[in-house]
Structure formats: structure tokens, C-alpha cells
Amino acid sequence: MSEADSVPVGTLTCPTPDERPDLWPWSAAREGGVLRLGGGDLTAVAADFGTPTFVLDVEAMRGRARVWASAMAEEFWDGYGMNGGDAFYAGKAFLSADVARLVVAEGLGVDTASLGELTLALRAGVDPERIGLHGNNKSDEEIRLALELGIHRIFIDSMDEVRQIERIAASLGVSAPVMVRLKSGIHAGGNEYIATAHEDQKFGLSLATGQAYEAVAAIKDAAHLDFRGLHSHIGSQIFGTEAFTEAARIVVDFAARLKAELDLEVPAIDLGGGVGIAYTAQDPEPTSPVELARALAGVVRERCAHHGLPIPHVSVEPGRSIVGPAMVMLYRVGVVKDISLEGGGVRRYVAIDGGMSDNIRPVLYGAAYTATLANRDPEQALELARCRIVGKHCESGDIIIRDIDLPADIAAGDLLVVPAVGAYGYSMASNYNMATKPGVLAVEDGAARWFIRPQTVDHLLALDAGLE
Ligand code: LLP
């Protein structure tokens, strides 16, 4: 028995866009029973482009990016005695050339965390001055590319990396713009694997043990490192402002220590990403960009005044909160199977044409999702049934949604839509069972085009040397 088995059928339904607008792309609405997105029917999308397909509401993503940029610009506006604020989109959440251009057009920079993300951002035409590079184990190749192209900043994550970047910058005869990623000691986030600032995990340089201080002192003395400031990212899928403001306080207090003991100015601080989004009706309403930016501005101002420090430039790195709710997943229902439970009762297993290869989050984090039908309105159903949404992979753990109430007559051919898959859906997709990755279709004003095309079996087999 799962916990949900004690909840009556009819209570685990998907909130409509009217009920929870934060869960859906802004254009989502039902007309004549059919779910529409970006000015078109999702039934037409399925017919024209196939399933499974990630469907991105471009205007929703654009709008979400815009509010981050404007919230940071306004709350840290120099007219308010601040020193400017901005946002860098965390490309790991989901990146394509069009996405990179879209966020840049809205005034954001792009944060990258690998050679692939960095190369993509550069080839998409993003100004290197608007790119950051993260990573806890960067390769020489990644650092060299970043330095040759003159990207905005590299986030140093270890003492080894201080030496590594100094060596590469010296060999290129350049000065490397670096920020130091702090381990603030704060434990926040939706899951152990996505909390990133407590002591016992791999990211950042510890404040508690003095590593961070040592690293900054070494950077100050290094001939080819240009210290640009401090960074903190405390985790992901966080609600409220408190954990973020606590981290900001710790970062500014450390900046004061650097000023006092090393006579070093901290021109900028970056407070990372991590703002949570709603995935189901059970999740709280997310913290808005304005709410967070205002809270951060308050702490930064107060702590800087307390220490008599000039106010640094402040940036943040949202990923999930920009793209997550802007994208839905469109699956086609296949096999429906009733399974008798040991304690009595049945569980209706609804298999869709994707699964853990396009959404690993339920398996990896126990993440909960909700879903509705695109081709007919579940609210019109005569009867609902408790269903379990499973994929088509060779694992019994290949479950997308453990318990959800859908029309009892759900059958092959129905279209199932899962909202809020935009972040860490496509970007963590795999080819398990040689499944081809679905494409990402961008919809806007009734038109649709691929941001990323669907993979084909030929793409998959192209690297198999034995088939050449
Ligand atoms: N900045 C840094 C340094 C990060 O490591 C991350 C995420 C972000 C920004 C963006 O965080 P966001 O705003 O998207 O929460 N795969 C996990 C999430 C891993 C997050 C990794 N770092 C998931 O699917 O929940």
C-alpha cells in the first residue's frame, strides 16, 4: 500500500491553469475540451510532430526571464544606492541556441558548466562577456576556451583550480577573471543531491575550515588571476527567501573580513540559483523574483552598511524558475493494465511512449509530477480512477507519476500532458534502452518550430564504430 491508497479517488487530480497558473505555461487553456498552448491545440501538435515531445511556450519562458532581469535591475539599481544587479540563466536547466539567444535578448547572461554548454552558448552568438563558467572539476580544455574567448568569469571551486587557472592563464599571457565559490554551510533544497552548500558535499570552498580564505589570499597573490568576487549557490528547488538571505549575509560578512584582513575589495557577489517551482497541487506557490531580489537587496544593503563596505554588484543564476513551468511534456498513452494489489483493490498502470529516459527526476529524486489529458477534459469524465503513469523502459522503477486520478476510461491514443518539465527534463535525458531523445518544440502565436529536433535511431547508431 502506498500512502496515496488511503486518499479517496478524485483528490489526486491535476490543477487546471486557472487553479494553479504557476504550474502551467501562461498560454495554457482548455477550449472545447482540448488543451491549448502557445495559440495551438496540443492534439494538433501531437498529430503534426509526434510524441513524446517537449513543448515549450516561448512567450512564457521569455516573460519569466524578463521578470528576473527586471527584478534584479530594479532592486539593485544604483538610484537606490546599489551597484547594479543582473541575472545569469543557468543553462544546465535547459539549453539550446534559441534559448541562449532568448535569455540574452531579455537582458540575462548565460551560466555554463561544461565544454558543451560553453561551446553552445558561444556558437549561439552569446557575447563572451555575458557568459560564466562553473564546474567542480574543470578540464584544461574548458578553462583554455573560456580564457581564449574572454568570458566574463570563471567560478573557482577548489584550491587545485586556483593553481590550474593560474597556470593556463600564464601560458596564454592573460589575466583570468575569477570568482570564488563559497561553501556557506547552509543546507537547503528539495533533495540531498541538489543541496550544495553544507560541508559534506563536493562543491565550493569551505568558510568554516578556512579553505575559502586561503583560496582568496592565493588569488590575490597570483600574477594572472583577477579576483572579481564571491559566489554562493545553496541548492535547488528552495521555497521562501530565508535560506537565500542567510547565505547573502554570510557572503557579505566574509567580504568584510577580506577587506579588513587582506585589504581586498569584493566588487561583485553572485548568490546562485535555486528558486523552487510548483510541480503538483501539493507544492506551495513559488517565491517570485521580485520578492527574492528585494529580500536580497535588503540584506546586502544592511550588511554592507554594518561593515562600512561599498555595495557590490549582485547577480543571481536562476535556471529552473525560468524554464521549468514554461514547458510541458506530451506523451501518447499506450497500454493500460489493471494490476491486483495484495491487500485487495487494483492499480491501473498507464504506459506512455516515453519514461525515465526523458524524465529521470522521479526515479532520481522521488520527484512528484502531475498530469492531465490534452485531448479531452478530465473534469468531464463520468468516473475517475487512480492511475500510475509508467514509461516503456525495462525497469519496474520506470514510474513518472506514482498516483494520479485520471478518467477511468483512459485508453491507448489518449494524450497525456505533464506540466513543469522544462528544467532538468531534456537536459538530463538519456538514451537508455536506445530510446531516442524527444525533440523540444517551441510554440508561439499559433506557430510551432523545433528548438531541438527529435533524435532518430540513425543519430544513435552514428557513433557505433562496428556499423561503419
Ligand atoms: N547556479 C549553480 C552554481 C548551480 O549549480 C545551479 C544548479 C544553478 C545555478 C541553477 O539552479 P536552479 O535555479 O535551476 O535551481 N538536476 C537537479 C537540479 C540540479 C541543480 C544543479 N545546479 C533537479 O533536477 O532537480
Side-chain angles (χ1 to χ4, degrees), residues 255-270:
R257 184 174 163 214
L258 296 177
K259 176 67 188 159
E261 296 179 19
L262 295 174
D263 194 25
L264 188 66
E265 300 275 348
V266 176
I269 64 176
D270 182 315

Side-chain angles (χ1 to χ4, degrees), residues 226-422:
D226 176 13
F227 177 71
R228 294 279 177 95
L230 301 172
H231 174 273
S232 153
H233 171 76
I234 55 175
S236 204
Q237 186 59 1
I238 300 167
F239 290 85
T241 58
E242 209 174 312
F244 295 106
T245 53
E246 182 57 14
R249 190 186 63 73
I250 291 170
V251 172
V252 177
D253 288 356
F254 183 59
R257 184 174 163 214
L258 296 177
K259 176 67 188 159
E261 296 179 19
L262 295 174
D263 194 25
L264 188 66
E265 300 275 348
V266 176
I269 64 176
D270 182 315
L271 296 168
V275 170
I277 63 165
Y279 286 91
T280 71
Q282 281 68 45
D283 289 322
E285 295 230 351
T287 309
S288 78
V290 169
E291 209 181 323
L292 183 65
R294 188 160 299 166
L296 292 177
V299 180
V300 169
R301 180 185 286 113
E302 188 270 317
R303 294 318 289 168
C304 287
H306 174 84
H307 295 295
L309 287 179
I311 292 184
H313 179 89
V314 178
S315 39
V316 291
E317 307 171 324
R320 187 189 318 261
S321 67
I322 290 179
V323 70
M327 205 188 292
V328 305
M329 186 66 189
L330 190 56
Y331 296 115
R332 177 91 57 191
V333 171
V335 170
V336 177
K337 202 190 257 185
D338 281 350
I339 291 173
S340 305
L341 301 176
E342 270 175 29
V346 292
R347 200 187 301 293
R348 184 154 297 171
Y349 277 73
V350 175
I352 40 85
D353 51 359
M356 63 192 285
S357 57
D358 57 74
N359 188 355
I360 192 68
R361 299 190 70 262
V363 181
L364 194 54
Y365 313 119
Y369 284 84
T370 186
T372 187
L373 294 183
N375 54 313
R376 55 194 174 109
D377 187 350
E379 288 186 5
Q380 306 299 319
L382 295 176
E383 195 192 343
L384 294 177
R386 180 67 40 87
C387 298
R388 177 161 290 177
I389 310 298
V390 297
K392 58 181 289 171
H393 293 280
C394 302
E395 300 218 11
S396 47
D398 175 23
I399 297 170
I400 295 293
I401 303 175
R402 294 196 79 81
D403 298 286
I404 173 123
D405 298 337
L406 288 165
D409 61 350
I410 189 166
D414 273 327
L415 283 170
L416 191 85
V417 183
V418 179
V421 299

Side-chain angles (χ1 to χ4, degrees), residues 27-67:
S27 66
R30 232 176 246 285
E31 257 181 58
V34 172
L35 198 60
R36 291 171 63 82
L37 206 68
D41 284 357
L42 286 177
T43 47
V45 164
D48 295 347
F49 297 93
T51 56
T53 294
F54 289 97
V55 187
L56 173 69
D57 178 333
V58 180
E59 186 51 31
M61 181 170 187
R62 200 179 277 135
R64 303 185 76 88
R66 189 179 307 151
V67 292

Side-chain angles (χ1 to χ4, degrees), residues 190-203:
N191 181 283
E192 184 65 29
Y193 291 165
I194 56 178
T196 54
H198 53 296
E199 282 300 318
D200 192 6
Q201 53 78 33
K202 68 179 181 173
F203 295 106

Side-chain angles (χ1 to χ4, degrees), residues 52 54 92-95 327 329 331 354-362 364-365 369 393 400 421-440 452-455 460:
F54 289 97
K92 69 194 78 180
F94 171 63
L95 200 57
M327 205 188 292
M329 186 66 189
Y331 296 115
M356 63 192 285
S357 57
D358 57 74
N359 188 355
I360 192 68
R361 299 190 70 262
L364 194 54
Y365 313 119
Y369 284 84
H393 293 280
I400 295 293
V421 299
Y424 309 105
Y426 186 87
S427 69
M428 297 213 295
S430 78
N431 290 123
Y432 182 40
N433 291 136
M434 291 207 177
T436 51
K437 289 188 195 173
V440 180
I452 299 184
R453 290 179 205 288
Q455 235 179 8
L460 272 185

